[in-house]
Amino acid sequence: MASTTSKPFTGRHMLLISIAFFAVVIAANLTMAISSARTWTGLVVTNSYVASQNFQTVQDTIARQVAAGWTLQVSYADGLVRFAALDGDGAPLALTGVSAFLRRPVGGHDDTTIALHLQDNQYVAAIDLPAGVWDVTVSTDSTPLGTISYEHRVMAR
């Protein structure tokens, strides 16, 4: 019967295992860093100082609209962006200058702005969005309770 002899585990083996481990970790980190740098600019607002100056004004406007009972809703289905805006009594709000800015949450590409028009007590526009997640920001001209700037995330299939 033949006997088998195993080689002893040496410092050289441990060194090779350690090098292989750290090579995999470094390769994964580099891959993720390069991917994130290519797909997202990191820019949320053009000028954060100016945005901070308007923050409280925007919050006060939203608070007035909520206190008045306004309900806002955005949806996307069958190639249509729909925006419903109702007052405290459930009646549609008469709005002007209604537009929707559509953007990918990550990437800074495929961004577009479309005008919405009144149809069946909702503001709608046809647009064929590629499949995926989209942030829709609906903006209007000034109302008695301030401008509307409503953001909602939708899924295009």
Side-chain angles (χ1 to χ4, degrees):
M1 181 160 188
S3 67
T4 59
T5 58
S6 61
K7 293 183 178 180
F9 188 79
T10 64
R12 182 180 179 122
H13 293 115
M14 188 63 210
L15 176 64
L16 291 175
I17 289 171
S18 296
I19 289 172
F21 171 78
F22 284 108
V24 169
V25 170
I26 290 169
N29 285 338
L30 284 174
T31 301
M32 298 303 285
I34 291 169
S35 176
S36 68
R38 287 184 179 166
T39 59
W40 189 49
T41 63
L43 183 65
V44 177
V45 293
T46 306
N47 188 330
S48 59
Y49 178 76
V50 172
S52 71
Q53 299 302 304
N54 296 326
F55 179 81
Q56 193 59 49
T57 303
V58 170
Q59 294 304 306
D60 292 344
T61 300
I62 292 170
R64 284 194 306 275
Q65 293 167 356
V66 168
W70 288 11
T71 56
L72 309 173
Q73 183 179 15
V74 172
S75 63
Y76 177 79
D78 302 324
L80 288 176
V81 173
R82 298 179 184 277
F83 174 63
L86 305 174
D87 65 13
D89 298 325
L93 293 171
L95 303 171
T96 60
V98 183
S99 65
F101 175 63
L102 300 115
R103 67 180 167 82
R104 296 272 195 184
V106 176
H109 60 282
D110 298 333
D111 298 353
T112 187
T113 300
I114 56 174
L116 303 175
H117 62 278
L118 187 60
Q119 176 183 327
D120 299 328
N121 294 327
Q122 291 184 337
Y123 297 88
V124 299
I127 186 167
D128 187 29
L129 295 176
V133 178
W134 291 84
D135 285 337
V136 181
T137 304
V138 176
S139 302
T140 68
D141 290 341
S142 187
T143 70
L145 297 179
T147 60
I148 293 174
S149 182
Y150 179 72
E151 186 170 330
H152 186 72
R153 184 164 284 180
V154 299
M155 177 70 78
R157 301 192 194 286

